[in-house]
């Protein structure tokens, strides 16, 4: 009898708690997409009757046998605030609901990059009273199979207290749109730093694609906890092979001058370890560098500069702690007290803790140095390293589809106008394959949304000297930019914002996000909002060879070609002959064409423009101040040819 009543109580509890529920996107302060059908969906009891009221619309529906339900409200004009009421056994009343333009903002760290990190934040925050601009921030999450519900997230109105956490690119895009359209703007920020395009693509897309079908067949359908064990064991084996011994956790002596690190492997510094021997590591690594101090500098105070360290460091000189910082994007400048430096050999020891994404000592090599009196000792080059801890967690890049499943799929089929995308840095080593991976992801999202072919606008990689690449040794970043250009030219309803002129050769996260958002907005205003403004820069079309000169023709001229150089000199152009050796070209504008030559190349056959990791020298624009996209005219093999994405 007790078991019987216990069963009845359990059933009653389940029944009484099965309230109608909505996705987290449906909440107070939300923005709905205007001028198109508005899907509203949720969960309730099996076969429960649901009533949805919005503005003057009333729709009734019954949940299916699994408790799922969805209705499509008729299109609404921009406006609000309204109330959205969903009534089943319980009633949910969402207040302050607006109807306007909704854009998804996604990608890696340069999309995640917040307004508080952008240049001129103090000035910007005083101009942020825009209650019609709102952000929904998706909490970071991963899943091996598609999820129906987000981990967390909420809508925030734009004001002085909230704008700092908005995606900077998305906010400056929204700010420009609002200034021109005067309608509510909603941005859904689903981004994660350091992530590759494959983690944002669904399993079904890979299974249907010849390029990736074999790869995805190797990905196990198991739980995250099981993946943790598998991944950690693989990583431990790999690291022990690199280090030639078991991972040592007793690190008490690693900071000391007398410690013998002769058997430690070496790594180039600066440079993220993901791009070197430790591609999948989150955890702790010790770095050691020996230096020689002269008698004249013995015992003197010094300044140690370690560029930047991702994420946190504790730094020692001869066993004495001289500084610690926990900020991946902050320059490390530490004072060495008098009496620490010894005559002869000294040791710099740095323990680096990386929590996610990139890890290690990174940034500009010129900012890696020790200064003692008038002596400057460069520190870039080979450092000894030793892994002492592996974080037991799956990273977003461990397996494909992890972020699509947890941070995109739950958003579908929320009505949107389009997508803004800033990503590619994490795919630079596989730039050639990006020509297949990136279009696959874009088309995957469009198919999954089952919405009218929405616009997908993205940011071309900016200028950053990550690998020191150029035309003659190869440039992975240039190849990735080419893959992005290819995507824009081959995938319908896409657009690309060029940013090589507003990057930072020493920082992968340039702070000028105002112009990035503004340029994306120019594309949208022209293509989607009937404002006939110039929205792109010159694009290479063809070339003619006359004697030792090459003459280039461009589209996207606007009202004509120009350069901000006061002498009219164009930079960033190179030419090569049959030997495939590139030389800087003398270049000038003539009749809205570009003329190139170099006296050392009498029979030129190929041109490169901006073909380098750091393409900030490029200075060809149209009169509307939009830069030309980097390009090449040859089809010679590149350095990322044949490099494929694979699952370890």
């Amino acid at each position: 009898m007790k078991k019987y009543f216990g069963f009845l109580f359990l059933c009653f509890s389940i029944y009484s708690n099965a309230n109608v529920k909505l996705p987290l996107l449906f909440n107070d302060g939300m923005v709905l997409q205007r001028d198109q059908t508005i899907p509203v969906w949720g969960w309730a009891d099996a076969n429960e009757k649901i009533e949805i009221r919005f503005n003057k619309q009333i729709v009734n529906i019954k949940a299916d046998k699994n408790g799922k339900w969805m209705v499509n409200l008729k299109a609404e004009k921009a406006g609000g605030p309204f109330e959205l009421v969903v009534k089943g056994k319980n009633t949910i009343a969402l207040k302050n609901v607006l109807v306007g333009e909704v854009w998804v903002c996604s990608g890696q760290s340069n999309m995640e990059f917040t307004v508080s990190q952008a240049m001129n934040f103090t000035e910007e925050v005083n101009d942020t009273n825009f209650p019609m601009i709102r952000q929904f921030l998706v909490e970071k999450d991963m899943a091996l199979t598609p999820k129906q519900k987000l981990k967390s997230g909420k809508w925030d109105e734009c004001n002085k207290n909230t704008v700092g956490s908005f995606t900077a690119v998305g906010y400056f895009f929204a700010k420009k749109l609002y200034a021109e359209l005067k309608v509510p703007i909603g941005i859904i920020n689903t981004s994660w730093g350091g992530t590759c395009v494959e983690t944002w693509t669904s399993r079904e897309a890979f299974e249907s694609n010849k390029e990736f079908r074999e790869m995805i067949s190797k990905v196990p359908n198991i739980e995250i906890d099981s993946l943790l064990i598998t991944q950690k064991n693989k990583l431990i084996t790999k690291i022990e092979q690199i280090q030639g011994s078991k991972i040592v956790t007793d690190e008490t002596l690693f900071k000391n001058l007398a410690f013998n690190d002769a058997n430690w492997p070496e790594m180039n510094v600066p440079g993220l370890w993901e791009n070197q021997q430790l591609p999948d590591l989150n955890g702790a690594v010790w770095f050691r560098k020996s230096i020689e101090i002269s008698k004249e500098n013995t015992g003197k105070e010094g300044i140690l500069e370690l560029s930047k360290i991702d994420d946190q460091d504790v730094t020692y000189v001869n066993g004495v702690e001289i500084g610690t910082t926990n900020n991946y994007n902050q320059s490390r400048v530490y004072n060495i007290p008098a009496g620490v430096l010894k005559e002869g050999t000294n040791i710099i020891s740095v323990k680096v803790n990386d929590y996610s994404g990139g890890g290690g000592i990174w940034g500009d090599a010129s900012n890696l140095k020790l200064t003692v009196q008038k002596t400057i000792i460069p520190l870039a080059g080979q450092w000894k390293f030793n892994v002492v801890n592996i974080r037991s967690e799956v990273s977003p890049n461990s397996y494909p589809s992890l972020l699509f499943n947890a941070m995109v799929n739950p958003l579908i089929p929320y009505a949107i106008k389009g997508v803004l995308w800033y990503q590619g840095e994490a795919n630079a080593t596989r730039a050639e394959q990006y020509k297949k991976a990136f279009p696959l992801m874009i088309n995957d999202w469009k198919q999954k949304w089952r919405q009218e072919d929405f616009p997908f606008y993205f940011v071309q990689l900016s200028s950053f000297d990550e690998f020191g690449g150029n035309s003659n040794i190869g440039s992975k970043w240039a190849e990735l930019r080419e893959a992005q250009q290819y995507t824009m030219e081959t995938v319908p309803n896409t657009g690309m914002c060029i940013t090589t002129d507003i990057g930072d050769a020493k920082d992968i996260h340039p702070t000028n996000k105002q112009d990035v958002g503004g340029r994306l907005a120019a594309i949208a205003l022209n293509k989607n909002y009937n404002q006939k403004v110039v929205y792109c820069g010159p694009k290479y079309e063809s070339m003619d060879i006359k004697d030792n000169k090459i003459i280039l023709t461009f589209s996207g001229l606007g009202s004509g070609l120009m350069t901000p150089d006061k002498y009219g000199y164009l930079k960033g152009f190179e030419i090569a002959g049959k030997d495939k050796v590139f030389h800087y070209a003398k270049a000038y504008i003539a009749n809205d064409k570009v003329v190139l030559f170099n006296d050392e190349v009498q029979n030129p056959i190929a041109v490169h423009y901006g073909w380098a990791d750091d393409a900030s020298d490029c200075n060809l624009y149209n009169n509307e101040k939009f830069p030309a996209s980097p390009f090449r005219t040859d089809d010679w093999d590149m350095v990322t040819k044949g490099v494929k994405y694979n699952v370890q």
Side-chain angles (χ1 to χ4, degrees):
M1 183 64 70
K2 288 182 179 179
K3 291 183 178 178
Y4 175 77
F5 281 114
F7 175 76
L8 287 179
F9 179 79
L10 178 61
C11 290
F12 178 80
S13 298
I14 294 173
Y15 176 81
S16 61
N17 289 327
N19 290 332
V20 64
K21 295 180 180 179
L22 295 171
L24 288 175
L25 273 169
F26 290 86
N27 221 313
D28 292 340
M30 67 189 298
V31 182
L32 297 172
Q33 178 59 42
R34 65 170 173 168
D35 298 337
Q36 63 189 58
T37 300
I38 303 171
V40 180
W41 73 97
W43 304 270
D45 270 344
N47 302 312
E48 183 176 348
K49 293 181 180 179
I50 312 294
E51 181 181 87
I52 298 92
R53 292 175 175 263
F54 183 70
N55 202 1
K56 298 178 181 180
Q57 298 189 54
I58 301 175
V59 180
N60 291 282
I61 195 172
K62 188 166 67 172
D64 66 18
K65 63 181 181 180
N66 297 312
K68 295 181 180 180
W69 57 269
M70 187 177 81
V71 300
N72 287 309
L73 298 178
K74 295 178 181 178
E76 295 273 356
K77 297 297 182 183
F82 301 113
E83 186 176 73
L84 174 63
V85 178
V86 179
K87 183 177 181 181
K89 291 186 174 73
N90 61 303
T91 299
I92 299 174
L94 305 182
K95 302 183 184 303
N96 192 20
V97 177
L98 303 180
V99 179
E101 295 296 292
V102 180
W103 288 80
V104 172
C105 300
S106 189
Q108 56 182 108
S109 54
N110 273 305
M111 183 60 82
E112 188 179 9
F113 195 94
T114 63
V115 175
S116 65
Q117 298 171 292
M119 70 177 189
N120 303 327
F121 173 63
T122 302
E123 299 172 18
E124 293 290 351
V125 80
N126 292 322
D127 183 31
T128 56
N129 186 27
F130 299 109
M132 295 292 115
I133 297 177
R134 300 176 182 187
Q135 173 183 261
F136 184 91
L137 178 60
V138 175
E139 184 175 346
K140 293 177 180 177
D141 193 16
M142 294 178 286
L144 274 168
T145 56
K147 296 180 69 172
Q148 298 301 312
K149 299 178 182 180
L150 295 170
K151 182 177 181 180
S152 182
K154 67 185 182 72
W155 287 95
D156 282 320
E157 289 187 10
C158 178
N159 56 50
K160 291 183 178 181
N161 298 321
T162 62
V163 72
S165 64
F166 279 38
T167 160
V169 169
Y171 167 71
F172 292 117
F173 171 86
K175 185 178 179 181
K176 178 62 176 176
L177 253 58
Y178 181 72
E180 298 295 328
L181 305 177
K182 295 297 189 293
V183 300
I185 309 293
I187 50 178
I188 300 173
N189 179 8
T190 180
S191 53
W192 193 324
T195 54
C196 60
V197 72
E198 291 86 359
T199 194
W200 293 100
T201 308
S202 76
R203 185 182 186 104
E204 291 84 359
F206 290 127
E207 289 173 338
S208 65
N209 186 272
K210 181 180 178 181
E211 176 78 11
F212 297 98
R213 192 173 296 136
E214 181 180 357
M215 175 277 296
I216 199 66
S217 68
K218 299 176 182 178
V219 177
N221 281 308
I222 57 178
E223 295 299 321
I224 290 288
D225 289 343
S226 299
L227 280 182
L228 283 172
I229 298 171
T230 301
Q231 177 178 285
K232 186 172 183 179
N233 288 338
K234 288 181 178 179
L235 194 52
I236 288 173
T237 300
K238 180 178 181 179
I239 290 170
E240 289 178 346
Q241 289 174 345
I242 293 172
Q243 298 185 167
S245 63
K246 296 287 186 181
I247 294 175
V248 177
T249 56
D250 182 5
E251 54 192 285
T252 54
L253 300 178
F254 289 1
K255 63 185 178 182
N256 295 335
L257 174 61
F259 178 77
N260 183 1
D261 59 18
N263 293 326
W264 284 18
E266 292 184 332
M267 180 183 297
N268 188 59
V269 172
L272 295 176
W273 64 52
E274 279 82 359
N275 297 329
Q276 301 185 70
Q277 294 101 313
L278 306 172
D280 301 308
L281 178 69
N282 292 320
V285 181
W286 278 88
F287 289 87
R288 286 169 58 91
K289 178 79 170 179
S290 62
I291 55 171
E292 297 296 317
I293 295 296
S294 66
K295 182 177 181 179
E296 293 75 19
N297 289 328
T298 299
K300 303 297 183 182
E301 294 181 351
I303 299 175
L304 177 62
E305 298 177 58
L306 295 176
S307 197
K308 299 178 181 181
I309 298 178
D310 192 346
D311 290 297
Q312 184 256 353
D313 73 288
V314 184
T315 298
Y316 305 85
V317 174
N318 294 335
V320 178
E321 182 178 336
I322 62 167
T324 181
T325 306
N326 189 6
N327 185 331
Y328 77 94
N329 204 35
Q330 182 175 330
S331 297
R332 268 57 169 183
V333 181
Y334 298 135
N335 293 320
I336 302 174
V340 173
L341 295 173
K342 315 295 182 184
E343 183 178 0
T345 301
N346 292 248
I347 195 76
I348 300 168
S349 305
V350 184
K351 183 180 181 180
V352 178
N353 288 295
D354 173 46
Y355 307 122
S356 66
I361 303 171
W362 68 284
D364 185 9
S366 66
N367 292 329
L368 207 68
K369 59 189 176 183
L370 171 63
T371 304
V372 188
Q373 298 190 102
K374 295 182 179 180
T375 302
I376 298 177
I377 302 175
L379 299 177
Q382 295 297 305
W383 285 53
K384 297 281 189 175
F385 76 92
N386 190 278
V387 178
V388 294
N389 178 259
I390 298 173
R391 289 174 62 87
S392 299
E393 59 183 30
V394 173
S395 80
N397 293 335
S398 297
Y399 293 91
S401 309
L402 293 180
L403 298 191
F404 174 86
N405 291 335
M407 297 178 65
V408 178
N409 194 70
L411 305 178
I412 301 171
Y414 197 84
I416 62 172
K417 184 67 174 183
V419 173
L420 305 180
W421 178 261
Y422 197 154
Q423 189 274 340
E425 299 91 339
N427 280 85
T429 57
R430 302 188 300 277
E432 183 191 48
Q433 194 181 43
Y434 200 74
K435 290 182 178 180
K436 297 179 179 178
F438 190 29
L440 179 66
M441 191 216 78
I442 295 173
N443 289 321
D444 181 36
W445 284 27
K446 291 186 176 187
Q447 291 167 9
K448 288 287 192 299
W449 241 279
R450 295 180 181 176
Q451 188 179 301
E452 181 182 352
D453 182 27
F454 54 74
F456 194 107
Y457 302 143
F458 53 91
V459 181
Q460 190 180 50
L461 285 193
S462 194
S463 292
F464 175 62
D465 197 19
E466 181 169 14
F467 303 107
N470 58 45
S471 287
N472 287 318
I473 66 172
S475 170
K476 297 171 185 175
W477 276 53
E479 291 180 37
L480 198 287
R481 294 188 195 107
E482 180 181 68
Q484 292 172 316
Q485 180 79 30
Y486 171 84
T487 300
M488 183 190 68
E489 293 172 354
T490 57
V491 179
N493 211 0
T494 57
M496 185 175 71
C497 162
I498 299 161
T499 62
T500 45
D501 62 322
I502 51 175
D504 186 335
K506 300 178 181 180
D507 193 339
I508 200 170
H509 304 111
T511 60
N512 181 2
K513 296 296 191 282
Q514 287 86 340
D515 285 335
V516 180
R519 290 176 184 180
L520 286 168
I523 299 173
L525 288 168
N526 181 279
K527 291 192 170 187
N528 306 110
Y529 301 111
N530 297 316
Q531 295 196 11
K532 299 306 177 185
V533 296
V534 175
Y535 64 90
C536 63
K539 176 181 173 295
Y540 166 74
E541 291 294 339
S542 63
M543 75 173 187
D544 292 315
I545 300 174
K546 293 186 178 180
D547 299 323
N548 71 330
K549 293 182 179 180
I550 293 181
I551 302 171
L552 302 177
T553 300
F554 294 83
S555 59
L557 300 181
S559 58
L561 295 180
M562 63 85 66
T563 176
D565 186 274
K566 63 181 180 180
Y567 299 109
Y569 296 145
L570 291 175
K571 300 177 182 179
F573 286 96
E574 301 169 283
I575 58 175
K578 291 181 179 180
D579 61 1
K580 299 183 181 180
V581 176
F582 281 87
H583 302 262
Y584 288 114
K586 296 179 181 179
Y588 59 90
I589 298 169
N591 300 317
D592 275 337
K593 296 180 184 292
V594 172
V595 181
L596 313 172
F597 69 95
N598 183 301
D599 293 336
E600 296 181 23
V601 184
Q602 290 301 307
N603 298 294
I605 62 172
V607 175
H608 280 183
Y609 176 67
W611 204 263
D613 294 4
D614 174 17
S616 56
D617 278 349
C618 296
N619 64 351
L620 176 64
Y621 294 77
N622 56 25
N623 284 319
E624 286 71 24
K625 304 299 190 295
F626 286 94
S629 176
F631 66 91
R632 62 177 176 138
T633 63
D634 61 87
D635 60 357
W636 301 333
D637 286 347
M638 296 283 103
V639 292
T640 66
K641 181 178 177 61
V643 181
K644 305 287 187 180
Y645 176 76
N646 61 81
V647 178
Q648 300 295 330

